[in-house]
């Protein structure tokens, strides 16, 4: 018979898939002798069995739960429902991957009208017992009976006010009894049933509710964002309760073994005296920093510090630990790998190598490449004199400017219209996650550094300020007050998540600088990676940035971007609209020195590293005025000024624009097809490149140019364009008397090119996969507007696993890339191959590029560090896989 239920002392830390992260860690901590309250785990397999049985718990699992419960009762010497010595348990979710706050939890389970009295007697603290009971009813009703917490809060508020109290601790046992009576009436009214008093019924209902919460909306959104598969299921942990709210010798807290914002190797966390765990996480009371525990409970603090050191050494990583002190005794409730900012991730990984806890390869694998984005984005200019209106806790670094909104839905709506928003809330709950995702930053007036908003924002690399208590937020009136200042919805503020400051208006920002640890980690990455990393850059400025970030060359210089400059557009239009060859030549001759200057700038910056310049690619009408607008102007002039010269010119222009108009411009007259029908354009560009080479070489600077022909579908196109470029090369060599080397290659960006790559390779010195167009032409999805139309729905409904324009579709587009490489190298062994579509800066696609043997990836300058790290991870991972295969053999 399958085993679905495991006592903590039956598992270990390796069984994450079966026991979930939390369950496996609880088992591991039990195994290494830490003070973990007893309990058992119902496995993720049980969750799947529950769903397979149409959301009911199969009886064989039920029996195993009952057996485990009996064991737990024996271990603790307490019994569920026994008034003389009641066992109370927590019921918590625990998936394989941590999903903080996304699923449900029930605490204090086992309480009823009888056990509460037993608890009161046993603890000699009736106030505590009844408070726990009412907390249980409230939580159980929310999680299991789906009654809105608002009704309970409202009743509690009314009773508190009636009694003239400000805070909950002023409530007496008798007051809590009154609250409990009211709570039960709420349950009857809204759940249409009496509150279940039978503890086993409570237990099984809670287990089902936790399994159900695997598929609640916020968990689904979170999984999608974090790319966690939906079939994994969650485990459920049943653990005997310990109480942090038994008086001033009790407390509860959360701590990280190192600072999760900066990575500093110093214990970091917070706690509350006389409180239960959710008080810290929900951010209802603002907790104390962990160091002050040293004064309040010196022995407990000492034991806690030792436990933290032990856990960090054991797991070889920074830990996020939940603890409770019950009447002076320390219990560890949970440990997991702590979420951290990119800055902290890097510093911790590098310092762990220094401390000889992990090796360099492990350090490289520890940092999520995508997280590096956080470090590569703006912060407030230091020279700016700040006048903050408020200061909260610096919960997640980075700075952001935007208009204030007070509601997650509103934040999402405005962000969809490309508006920058800052979400301001009294506190956030997991239901606000879509707002946090949409906003540039989040601010809360309550809650600590480990509150929900802080944890979620840090994970996403978004700026966040928590516990900014001076903000008096009125969500209904859509405004907040700080002193005399009133900030209304729509007003612009800037926040600095690294200092916790809130400033009115927009503030100058500066580009980020990379820390020494960051540089060091990337140097280690460079030692490991096989893939080259280049950048897509169209001007000397971007090329410089890319070079600074460690790009080994330019993989794509889109020459059309050089045409987009406001001063150049009229000349480009002149060239396009020319009636005669001579007219076109004249316009081209004006463009030539401009292009040449840009190329010289890029060559100089790149100092002999390869620079791939692509000849003109987009359809020409992209440079012309909009047809519809022109039509309106012509119509107006025909009425107001039918004989004017302006009308004649506009009509002329409209005729040409119409002539160039295409039904499917992306499949139309673009790429090398332009060069084929207007060779003079490519001739001008080739000349500009060759003159630039000569000029830069004359300055004594090395140049490695690679000229790239776009959108080739048939070898003959490349053959003709190659000849054309080579003729220009010969001419310039003769004219200048200087010899120079260059390569001519092609983009592989339509399926036919990939499928006939053996022929195309005859004419190519290199291939660069243009996976933006290759994705467009393979799927037949327009890259310009599919995302705004059906593609989003495809991704949400899981018709497609990912957005193929962001993450390379390995099964389809990837197969073409693989085929192209194989066929190309069949003709020319060692043919240089790279990728310059957006996928070149996406970690999973980079892994694929490594696996199919590309020579390099090319991506936007700001993604270069990410690509260096991802390329190193790809190497290490494939090395690890090979060693596993060898061991198997
Ligand atoms: C591509 O198609 O992948 C590519 C890099 O070219 P562009 O995006 O300029 O079409
Ligand atoms: Mg393209």
């Amino acid at each position: 018979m399958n085993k679905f239920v495991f006592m903590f002392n039956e598992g270990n830390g390796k069984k994450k898939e079966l026991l979930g992260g939390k369950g496996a860690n609880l088992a591991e901590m039990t195994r290494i002798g830490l003070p973990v309250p007893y309990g058992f785990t119902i496995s993720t397999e049980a969750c799947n069995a529950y769903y397979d049985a149409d959301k009911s718990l199969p009886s064989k699992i039920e029996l195993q739960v009952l057996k485990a419960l009996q064991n737990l009762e024996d271990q603790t010497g307490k019994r569920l429902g026994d008034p003389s010595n009641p066992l109370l348990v927590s019921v918590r979710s625990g998936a394989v991957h941590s999903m903080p706050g996304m699923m449900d939890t029930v605490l204090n389970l086992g309480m009823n009208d009888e056990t509460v009295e037993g608890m009161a007697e046993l603890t000699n603290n009736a106030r505590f017992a009844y408070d726990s009971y009412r907390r249980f009813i409230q939580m159980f009703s929310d999680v299991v009976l789906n009654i809105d917490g608002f009704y309970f809060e409202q009743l509690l508020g009314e009773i508190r006010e009636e009694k003239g109290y400000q805070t909950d601790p002023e409530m007496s046992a008798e007051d809590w009894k009154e609250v409990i009576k009211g709570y039960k009436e709420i349950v009857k009214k809204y759940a249409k049933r009496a509150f279940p008093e039978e503890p086993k019924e409570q237990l099984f209902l809670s287990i089902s509710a936790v399994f159900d919460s695997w598929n609640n909306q916020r968990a689904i959104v979170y999984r999608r964002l974090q790319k966690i598969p939906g079939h994994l299921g969650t485990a459920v942990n049943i653990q005997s309760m310990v109480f942090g709210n038994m008086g001033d010798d009790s407390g509860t807290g959360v701590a990280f073994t190192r600072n999760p914002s900066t990575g500093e190797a110093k214990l970091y966390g917070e706690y509350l005296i006389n409180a239960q765990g959710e008080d810290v996480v929900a951010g209802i009371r603002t907790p104390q920093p962990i160091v002050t525990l040293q004064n309040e409970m010196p022995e407990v603090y000492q034991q806690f510090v030792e436990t933290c050191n032990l856990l960090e050494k054991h797991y070889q990583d920074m830990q996020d630990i939940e603890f409770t002190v019950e009447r002076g005794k320390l219990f560890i409730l949970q440990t997991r790998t702590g979420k951290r900012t990119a800055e902290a991730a890097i510093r911790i990984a590098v310092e762990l190598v220094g401390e000889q806890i992990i090796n360099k390869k492990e350090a490289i694998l520890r940092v999520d490449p995508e997280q590096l984005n956080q470090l590569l984005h703006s912060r407030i200019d230091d020279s700016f004199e700040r006048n903050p209106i408020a200061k909260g806790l610096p919960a997640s670094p980075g700075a952001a400017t935007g208009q204030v909104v007070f509601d997650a839905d509103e934040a999402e709506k405005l962000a969809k219209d490309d508006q920058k928003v800052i979400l301001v809330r009294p506190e956030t709950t997991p239901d606000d996650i879509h707002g946090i995702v949409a906003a540039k930053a989040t601010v809360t007036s309550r809650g600590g550094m480990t509150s929900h908003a802080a944890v979620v924002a840090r994970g996403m690399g978004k700026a966040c300020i928590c516990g900014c208590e001076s903000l008096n937020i009125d969500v209904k009136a859509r405004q907040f007050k700080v002193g005399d200042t009133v900030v209304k919805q729509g007003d612009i503020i800037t926040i600095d998540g690294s200092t916790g400051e809130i400033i009115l208006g927009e503030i100058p920002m500066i580009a980020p600088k990379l820390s020494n640890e960051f540089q060091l980690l990337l140097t280690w990455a460079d030692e490991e990676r096989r893939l080259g990393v280049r950048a897509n850059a169209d001007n000397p400025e971007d090329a410089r940035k890319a070079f600074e970030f460690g790009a080994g060359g330019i993989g794509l210089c889109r020459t059309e971007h050089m045409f987009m400059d406001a001063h150049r557009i009229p000349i480009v239009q002149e060239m396009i609209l020319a009636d005669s060859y001579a007219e076109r030549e004249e316009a081209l001759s004006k463009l030539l020195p401009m292009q040449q200057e840009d190329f010289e700038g890029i060559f100089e910056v790149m100092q002999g590293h390869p620079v791939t310049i692509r000849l003109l690619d987009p359809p020409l009408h992209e440079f012309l005025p909009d047809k519809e607008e022109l039509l309106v102007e012509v119509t107006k002039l025909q009425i107001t000024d039918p004989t004017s010269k302006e009308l004649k010119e506009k009509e002329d222009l409209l005729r040409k624009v119409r002539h160039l108009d295409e039904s499917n411009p992306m499949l139309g007259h673009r790429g090398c097809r332009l060069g084929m029908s207007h060779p003079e354009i490519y001739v001008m560009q080739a000349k500009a490149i060759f003159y630039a080479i000569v000029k830069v070489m004359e300055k004594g600077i090395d140049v490695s140019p690679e000229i790239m022909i776009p959108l080739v579908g048939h070898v003959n196109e490349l053959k003709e364009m190659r000849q054309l470029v080579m003729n220009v090369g010969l001419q310039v060599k003769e004219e200048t008397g200087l010899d120079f080397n260059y390569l001519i290659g092609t983009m592989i960006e339509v399926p036919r090119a990939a499928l006939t790559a053996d022929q195309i390779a005859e004419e190519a010195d290199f291939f660069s996969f243009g996976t933006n167009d290759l994705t467009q032409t393979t799927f037949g999805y327009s890259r310009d507007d599919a995302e705004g139309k059906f593609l989003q729905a495809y991704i949400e409904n899981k018709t497609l696993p990912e957005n193929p324009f962001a993450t390379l579709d390995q099964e389809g587009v990837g197969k073409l890339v693989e085929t192209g490489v194989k066929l190309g190298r069949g003709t020319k062994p060692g043919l240089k191959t790279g990728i310059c579509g957006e996928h070149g800066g996406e970690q999973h696609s980079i892994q694929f590029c490594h696996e199919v043997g590309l020579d390099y990836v090319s991506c936007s300058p700001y993604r270069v560090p990410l690509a260096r790290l991802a390329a190193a991870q790809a190497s290490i991972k494939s090395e690890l896989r090979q060693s596993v295969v060898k061991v198997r053999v």
Side-chain angles (χ1 to χ4, degrees):
M1 189 174 79
N2 276 355
K3 190 167 166 64
F4 290 98
V5 182
F6 299 83
M7 302 308 292
F8 288 167
N9 59 8
E10 289 178 313
N12 63 52
K14 295 203 177 92
K15 294 191 168 161
K16 278 206 168 74
E17 280 187 18
L18 185 68
L19 304 177
K22 191 178 293 178
N25 279 337
L26 285 166
E28 185 69 11
M29 289 197 296
T30 305
R31 198 181 68 79
I32 61 174
L34 292 178
V36 177
Y38 292 115
F40 58 89
T41 303
I42 309 172
S43 71
T44 53
E45 285 176 1
C47 178
N48 289 326
Y50 170 83
Y51 278 102
D52 288 346
D54 269 342
K55 301 222 279 188
S56 75
L57 203 61
S59 57
K60 59 183 173 189
I61 300 179
E62 225 171 270
L63 284 173
Q64 289 185 28
V65 171
L66 289 172
K67 179 81 187 52
L69 179 63
Q70 214 167 44
N71 282 343
L72 180 59
E73 289 178 336
D74 293 344
Q75 284 172 330
T76 56
K78 300 175 181 179
R79 311 253 148 231
L80 199 66
D82 176 358
S84 65
N85 194 10
L87 171 67
L88 301 187
V89 295
S90 62
V91 180
R92 296 175 199 257
S93 58
V96 179
H97 303 280
S98 155
M99 295 169 59
M102 296 301 134
M103 288 182 287
D104 289 332
T105 291
V106 180
L107 302 175
N108 298 338
L109 188 142
M111 296 212 85
N112 58 24
D113 289 351
E114 289 178 355
T115 52
V116 68
E117 282 180 30
M119 279 295 289
E121 222 169 283
L122 269 176
T123 59
N124 202 12
N125 189 344
R127 198 203 150 275
F128 154 69
Y130 284 95
D131 182 15
S132 304
Y133 189 20
R134 72 91 198 175
R135 283 170 191 262
F136 170 55
I137 298 175
Q138 197 168 340
M139 211 171 199
F140 186 91
S141 302
D142 171 21
V143 170
V144 181
L145 305 174
N146 295 316
I147 305 173
D148 197 326
F150 165 81
Y151 300 115
F152 298 96
E153 288 297 341
Q154 192 183 36
L155 178 74
L156 178 54
E158 280 166 14
I159 294 181
R160 225 172 18 211
E161 200 177 310
E162 205 181 286
K163 312 255 171 207
Y165 303 148
Q166 298 293 320
T167 58
D168 287 354
E170 293 167 64
M171 301 277 284
S172 69
E174 288 310 309
D175 297 332
W176 284 128
K177 280 187 195 169
E178 194 182 329
V179 171
I180 289 164
K181 199 159 156 266
Y183 275 12
K184 289 196 170 176
E185 278 159 21
I186 293 174
V187 171
K188 259 213 188 101
K189 182 164 173 199
Y190 293 99
K192 311 242 172 320
R193 61 160 293 172
F195 183 77
E197 297 270 338
E198 215 300 291
K200 284 194 180 123
E201 186 187 3
Q202 294 172 354
L203 179 65
F204 281 107
L205 284 173
S206 299
I207 293 169
S208 298
V210 173
F211 280 151
D212 289 344
S213 71
W214 172 251
N215 277 330
N216 69 29
Q217 205 208 343
R218 59 182 194 248
I220 292 172
V221 171
Y222 189 85
R223 283 204 293 274
R224 200 178 65 227
L225 282 169
Q226 301 291 328
K227 303 198 166 67
I228 298 172
H231 68 264
L232 294 177
T234 181
V236 181
N237 298 294
I238 316 283
Q239 190 174 26
S240 58
M241 291 290 301
V242 287
F243 294 95
N245 54 350
M246 286 184 105
D248 286 345
D249 57 353
S250 304
T252 189
V254 186
F256 293 85
T257 54
R258 295 177 193 234
N259 185 316
S261 282
T262 64
E264 191 188 0
K266 207 166 132 193
L267 197 60
Y268 176 94
E270 47 206 13
Y271 70 99
L272 281 168
I273 290 290
N274 198 10
Q276 266 196 320
E278 81 268 19
D279 295 340
V280 181
V281 181
I284 291 155
R285 280 164 59 192
T286 301
Q288 300 286 308
I290 194 87
V291 280
T292 61
L293 186 66
Q294 196 166 8
N295 308 329
E296 291 199 64
M297 299 181 182
E299 276 167 32
V300 168
Y301 182 76
Q302 192 48 37
Q303 193 195 349
F304 184 61
V305 170
E306 282 162 18
T307 306
C308 287
N309 289 340
L310 189 120
L311 279 170
E312 200 182 83
K313 287 232 164 62
H314 184 75
Y315 287 103
Q316 303 182 334
D317 202 355
M318 185 262 264
Q319 295 294 297
D320 168 358
I321 301 167
E322 277 180 28
F323 67 97
T324 284
V325 182
E326 185 183 281
R327 295 204 156 151
K329 185 168 164 28
L330 174 71
F331 288 96
I332 304 297
L333 302 186
Q334 185 185 149
T335 188
R336 58 187 171 191
T337 302
K339 290 206 181 295
R340 60 203 79 181
T341 61
E343 184 186 343
I346 292 169
R347 179 161 171 188
I348 292 170
V350 169
E351 290 188 355
L352 285 175
V353 173
E355 291 164 31
Q356 296 182 340
I357 294 176
I358 58 172
N359 61 26
K360 287 184 192 174
K361 287 186 189 184
E362 184 58 37
I364 290 167
L365 293 174
R366 286 283 170 90
V367 179
D368 175 6
E370 205 55 51
Q371 253 199 328
L372 298 186
N373 270 337
Q374 284 180 34
L375 299 177
L376 303 171
H377 289 108
S378 334
R379 61 193 168 85
I380 293 175
D381 187 342
D382 294 333
S383 63
F384 182 84
E385 214 200 302
R386 305 173 182 207
N387 265 323
I389 52 163
K391 193 161 179 197
L393 301 171
S396 183
T401 296
Q403 50 174 301
V404 174
V405 292
F406 294 92
D407 173 272
D409 292 339
E410 184 79 12
E412 192 180 40
K413 204 171 102 219
L414 289 170
K416 273 199 180 134
D417 290 337
D418 278 331
Q419 310 240 29
K420 291 183 191 154
V421 298
I422 308 244
L423 179 63
V424 178
R425 301 277 304 155
E427 69 214 31
T428 66
T429 69
D431 287 333
D432 291 319
I433 186 168
H434 59 296
I436 301 176
V437 173
K440 293 279 164 209
T442 302
V443 176
T444 72
S445 57
R446 290 200 287 264
M449 301 284 279
T450 45
S451 64
H452 173 259
V455 171
V456 172
R458 264 203 300 276
M460 289 177 186
K462 298 209 171 206
C464 178
I465 296 175
C466 283
C468 191
E469 290 179 1
S470 59
L471 298 193
N472 189 347
I473 302 175
D474 185 341
V475 172
K476 271 214 185 97
R478 294 164 178 246
Q479 63 173 45
F480 68 76
K481 274 195 196 150
V482 207
D484 292 330
T485 313
V486 179
V487 176
K488 293 197 158 60
Q489 170 134 339
D491 289 353
I492 303 289
I493 59 168
T494 296
I495 74 134
D496 186 342
S498 313
T499 61
E501 291 166 307
I502 301 176
I503 303 148
L504 287 179
E506 191 169 352
I507 283 173
M509 306 256 178
I510 49 167
K513 234 173 66 200
L514 308 185
S515 70
N516 290 342
E517 287 95 357
F518 190 123
Q519 306 278 17
L520 185 59
L521 186 80
L522 289 180
T523 320
W524 294 347
D526 292 344
E527 287 163 13
E528 292 297 330
R529 68 184 161 93
R530 183 194 58 71
L531 274 174
V533 175
R534 297 192 187 182
N536 294 354
D538 313 319
N539 54 58
E541 207 35 59
D542 286 357
R544 193 163 297 118
K545 189 93 257 166
F547 199 53
E548 268 170 38
F549 283 149
I554 302 297
L556 174 64
C557 170
R558 292 174 163 104
T559 50
E560 62 268 20
H561 289 181
M562 299 166 161
F563 285 180
M564 301 290 185
D565 185 286
H567 304 292
R568 299 182 185 184
I569 277 277
I571 312 173
V572 176
Q573 291 182 345
E574 225 178 274
M575 180 241 335
I576 298 167
L577 300 169
D579 280 325
S580 64
Y581 180 78
E583 265 180 40
R584 171 163 295 128
E585 278 286 302
E586 198 190 316
L588 285 169
S589 67
K590 285 189 221 162
L591 284 173
L592 191 148
M594 297 174 183
Q595 287 243 287
Q596 182 183 331
E597 202 184 307
D598 294 327
F599 296 143
E600 283 172 27
I602 294 176
F603 289 146
E604 281 183 27
V605 170
M606 294 314 292
Q607 298 173 32
H609 292 278
V611 175
T612 312
I613 297 171
R614 179 180 72 186
L615 302 187
L616 196 66
D617 177 58
L620 291 181
H621 71 78
E622 275 191 15
F623 301 101
L624 297 179
D626 181 74
K627 190 180 65 176
E628 302 302 324
E629 280 170 21
L630 207 52
L631 191 62
V632 171
E633 284 175 39
V634 167
T635 313
K636 277 188 189 154
L637 282 170
Q638 277 174 346
I639 297 164
T640 57
D641 205 357
T643 55
S644 68
K645 188 166 160 248
E646 193 190 353
L647 173 62
K648 171 114 193 22
E649 281 169 6
K650 290 253 153 88
E651 280 175 338
D652 214 24
L653 187 59
L654 180 61
R655 188 175 42 75
K656 287 174 181 164
V657 169
R658 276 188 166 147
H659 175 69
L660 286 168
D661 194 32
E662 292 179 285
S663 305
N664 293 306
M666 271 301 194
L667 299 177
H669 198 182
R670 58 172 287 224
C672 64
R673 302 159 205 172
L674 277 176
M676 296 288 285
S677 44
H678 300 293
E680 60 279 11
I681 299 179
Y682 277 17
V683 166
M684 179 280 285
Q685 292 198 296
K687 262 191 204 158
I689 295 169
F690 293 131
Y691 285 146
I693 296 171
V694 169
K695 226 13 199 311
V696 174
M697 277 173 66
E698 280 172 352
K699 288 187 191 167
I701 301 171
D702 278 348
V703 190
S704 301
E706 301 183 349
I707 299 172
M708 183 153 77
I709 312 295
L711 220 74
V712 164
H714 196 286
V715 63
N716 288 343
E717 291 170 316
L718 182 60
K719 199 170 175 181
E720 220 172 291
M721 291 300 100
R722 181 183 181 91
Q723 199 53 56
L724 179 119
V725 171
M726 284 175 62
N727 288 344
V728 178
L730 277 176
Q731 257 178 38
V732 175
K733 281 182 188 179
E734 260 172 40
E735 192 183 311
T736 59
L738 218 102
D739 196 17
F740 46 81
N741 295 320
Y742 61 92
L743 303 179
I744 300 179
T746 183
M747 296 192 72
I748 303 287
E749 48 186 347
V750 296
R752 193 182 189 284
L755 296 170
T756 60
D758 47 347
Q759 298 169 28
I760 290 178
E762 300 278 2
E763 302 294 332
D765 301 327
F766 64 89
F767 282 175
S768 178
F769 288 89
T771 44
N772 301 333
D773 275 312
L774 194 57
T775 301
Q776 168 168 261
T777 49
T778 301
F779 275 94
Y781 296 164
S782 162
R783 59 187 269 196
D784 289 336
D785 42 23
E787 277 155 304
K789 303 241 160 68
F790 59 91
L791 196 51
Q792 206 51 43
Y794 268 29
I795 298 156
E796 271 160 27
N797 303 335
K798 301 201 174 68
T799 309
L800 292 180
E802 306 278 357
N803 177 349
F805 289 108
T807 306
L808 190 80
D809 158 50
Q810 298 185 12
E811 291 167 355
V813 180
K815 199 181 264 178
L816 286 169
V817 173
E818 205 174 350
T819 307
V821 173
K822 276 202 187 118
L823 290 177
R825 289 195 176 145
T827 301
K828 270 194 187 150
L831 178 78
K832 177 150 59 168
T833 55
I835 181 174
C836 61
E838 284 307 295
H839 308 93
E842 192 279 324
Q843 54 176 320
H844 304 287
S845 316
I846 292 172
Q847 164 104 30
F848 174 81
C849 293
H850 171 91
E851 281 160 13
V852 298
L854 294 193
D855 293 299
Y856 67 85
V857 296
S858 188
C859 55
S860 71
Y862 276 90
R863 294 189 83 83
V864 165
L866 176 161
R868 288 164 68 192
L869 186 63
Q873 292 186 348
S875 275
I876 298 169
K877 281 182 194 161
S878 70
E879 202 178 285
L880 287 174
R881 263 199 308 271
Q882 273 161 17
S883 65
V884 169
V885 173
K886 268 191 204 136
V887 169
R888 278 209 201 108
V889 168

